[in-house]
Amino acid sequence: MGEFNQNEHNQSYQPYTQEQHYQNFKNIDNSPLSMGQYLIMLLLMSIPLVNIILLFVWGFGDYNINKKNFARAYLILMAIGIVLIILFIIFLFSIGSSMSESFYF
């Protein structure tokens, strides 16, 4: 009925060799970014909402490795900043609510 041919199955499998692994790293652009590229990146990141979209595109797309690392680091810093702002707002609301309770008789 449905005979399983072991040879056909093994022919389609090709192990991932160390040479292929190094070949993938050779294709990565790791040339340094120029000052002009950094200035353009910073100017584009000053535009609200565009900055977040561009950071995700640069950080997870097939771009220069330096641009990729810069975008990922900036995203991490933005996430830390958002968490700190949320914690500060919670702290202020807790102080405000405790102070408002003390004014009632």
Side-chain angles (χ1 to χ4, degrees):
M1 185 148 179
E3 240 179 72
F4 178 72
N5 189 348
Q6 185 69 25
N7 290 335
E8 285 181 13
H9 179 60
N10 285 339
Q11 288 175 355
S12 65
Y13 173 73
Q14 295 176 350
Y16 189 71
T17 63
Q18 192 172 13
E19 182 179 321
Q20 289 171 334
H21 181 71
Y22 289 125
Q23 188 66 25
N24 289 340
F25 282 112
K26 288 180 184 178
N27 296 334
I28 295 174
D29 179 20
N30 59 358
S31 59
L33 296 175
S34 68
M35 184 182 65
Q37 289 173 316
Y38 274 113
L39 286 173
I40 291 172
M41 285 172 55
L42 291 172
L43 285 173
L44 288 173
M45 287 191 312
S46 66
I47 304 170
L49 296 178
V50 172
N51 59 358
I52 296 171
I53 295 168
L54 285 177
L55 285 173
F56 277 106
V57 169
W58 291 333
F60 300 106
D62 289 333
Y63 289 93
N64 184 306
I65 191 72
N66 297 312
K67 187 182 282 191
K68 213 178 217 189
N69 289 336
F70 178 80
R72 288 178 180 176
Y74 208 89
L75 282 170
I76 290 171
L77 286 176
M78 285 177 68
I80 291 170
I82 289 170
V83 168
L84 289 175
I85 288 171
I86 290 171
L87 290 175
F88 185 69
I89 289 171
I90 291 171
F91 176 72
L92 288 179
F93 274 122
S94 66
I95 289 177
S97 66
S98 67
M99 288 179 65
S100 66
E101 290 174 2
S102 64
F103 290 123
Y104 293 115
F105 295 104

